[in-house]
Amino acid sequence: MSKQTLDRILQSQGFGTRKGCQQLITRGEVSIDGDTVTNFRTSFETTGLTFTLFDETWIYRDHVYIALNKPSDFECSRKTSHHPGVLTLLPEQFTWRDVQPVGRLDHDTTGLLLMSDDGTFIHAQSSPKRHVPKIYIATTHDPVTPDLVALLLSGVKLHDEPAPLAAVSCHALDAHRLEIVLEQGKYHQVKRMLAAAGNHCSALQRSAIGRLTLESLGLKEGEWCYLDEAQRALLAPVAL
Ligand code: URA
């Protein structure tokens, strides 16, 4: 439980600088329980607080945990070079809250991307020691063969990697698509593993992280949602 003044509350939720939030409140843009609050020094208990700003209602959140169905042609890096950043797909206050992608997907990879402003969560999810499987659906240029699947399962040697990298599991979905599960998150790993195995990845989608599937979230490309505690629990390491 913690009480905070309304200007600090709005600032923590990403609605701008402290001064900017004070101005919003003084102008009468913020209401709580149907009452407009114009004194920015008024304190509120933050747990369970909802407030309305510009006719939109928001729930106070200490941190945000977000799942995005990333479309192609968006970059995960902070300093984007050729395509817009994934943060442009989210409300602006998430940028103010310093929401960041958890790990990275290539600009042309689609699918499940986690985002958060909770450093502990980001660190835990990105840690190589935490064996959280990432499930990808790769479309291949050449047909998927039993030999290709066997090679990906036994391990392929990538340039700059001291030891061969192997898929945790891998199987053909149809003639040109395979599901591949990885526990590491090396740079372009799926594409490089497919290339090292003599094929070429022409499209890539991340369909699940741990037991959290994109399908269960029902997000169309470009859509996002908050993850609740039960959904975050599905991101724990699993025995495959
Ligand atoms: N492997 C890749 O090659 N690209 C991604 O975006 C993710 C995994």
Side-chain angles (χ1 to χ4, degrees), residues 1 19 31 39 66 68 80 84 95 113 129 136-137 149 158 168 181 188-189 196 204-205 224:
M1 300 293 242
K19 184 108 201 110
S31 60
N39 181 352
I66 289 162
L68 169 73
T80 57
T95 302
L113 179 68
K129 289 191 200 129
Y136 296 91
I137 296 174
V149 171
L158 301 185
V168 177
V181 181
H188 292 331
Q189 187 170 343
L204 187 61
Q205 184 201 45
W224 64 274

Side-chain angles (χ1 to χ4, degrees), residues 12-183:
S12 73
Q13 301 302 290
F15 289 96
T17 59
R18 181 107 173 265
K19 184 108 201 110
C21 292
Q22 290 175 355
Q23 286 166 351
L24 285 175
I25 298 161
T26 313
R27 283 211 314 263
E29 306 284 7
V30 186
S31 60
I32 292 182
D33 294 334
D35 295 327
T36 304
V37 183
T38 52
N39 181 352
F40 58 75
R41 290 195 187 88
T42 316
S43 289
F44 293 91
E45 173 53 54
T46 53
T47 310
L49 180 73
T50 60
F51 56 92
T52 304
L53 178 60
F54 301 130
D55 294 330
E56 220 178 316
T57 299
W58 297 88
I59 298 173
Y60 174 92
R61 293 171 198 269
D62 277 329
H63 288 295
V64 289
Y65 305 92
I66 289 162
L68 169 73
N69 184 353
K70 180 191 170 298
S72 189
D73 296 330
F74 283 84
E75 291 182 20
C76 289
S77 49
R78 222 171 233 277
K79 285 198 178 136
T80 57
S81 43
H82 298 294
H83 303 278
V86 284
L87 272 160
T88 61
L89 295 162
L90 307 180
E92 198 188 344
Q93 57 269 30
F94 292 142
T95 302
W96 281 88
R97 288 188 72 142
D98 204 21
V99 165
Q100 297 172 31
V102 180
R104 290 192 180 177
L105 290 178
D106 299 334
H107 80 270
D108 54 355
T109 300
T110 61
L112 183 56
L113 179 68
L114 305 178
M115 301 181 79
S116 181
D117 60 353
D118 180 350
T120 310
F121 172 79
I122 294 174
H123 183 74
Q125 284 298 320
S126 324
S127 166
K129 289 191 200 129
R130 210 179 132 98
H131 299 279
V132 181
K134 315 268 181 347
I135 295 115
Y136 296 91
I137 296 174
T139 306
T140 59
H141 180 269
D142 298 319
V144 176
T145 60
D147 281 355
L148 174 72
V149 171
L151 206 51
L152 294 168
L153 283 170
S154 62
V156 288
K157 178 82 183 73
L158 301 185
H159 182 62
D160 284 350
E161 290 299 331
L165 295 178
V168 177
S169 87
C170 181
H171 64 270
L173 294 172
D174 55 42
H176 282 270
R177 282 186 325 139
L178 53 79
E179 184 185 272
I180 177 165
V181 181
L182 301 180
E183 275 185 350

